[in-house]
Amino acid sequence: MRLEHVFGTIEDPLLIAQDRNFPTRECYYRAASELGLPIAAYLKVVVDRGWHPARVVTAYPVDRLHRSEEPVWRREQ
């Protein structure tokens, strides 16, 4: 995974969800296929908005959207 994949996910996410454990963090999801990645189903990027400017905490591939995270925004299909 490259930095351009992380930025691409933040710039054009499929879904943004509230992190279940940290109220200042949001989870950005994008389909791995949209990024040309042959991994998992999604790239998940966790952004902490408690900092100024906001900071990327981590990014990693996942097989599904996490059920316990509350969606706050979803891309129109």
Side-chain angles (χ1 to χ4, degrees), residues 23-76:
T24 61
R25 293 182 181 178
E26 293 178 334
C27 303
Y28 289 68
Y29 289 91
R30 186 156 179 199
S33 60
E34 290 181 11
L35 299 166
L37 296 172
I39 55 164
Y42 302 96
L43 179 62
K44 178 179 181 176
V45 178
V46 180
V47 176
D48 192 331
R49 298 201 172 276
W51 297 88
H52 185 73
R55 296 181 182 181
V56 172
V57 177
T58 189
Y60 53 94
V62 294
D63 291 328
R64 60 183 165 76
L65 304 173
H66 205 289
R67 281 185 257 163
S68 68
E69 294 171 347
E70 185 68 32
V72 294
W73 182 88
R74 186 179 301 270
R75 184 192 309 159
E76 294 288 327

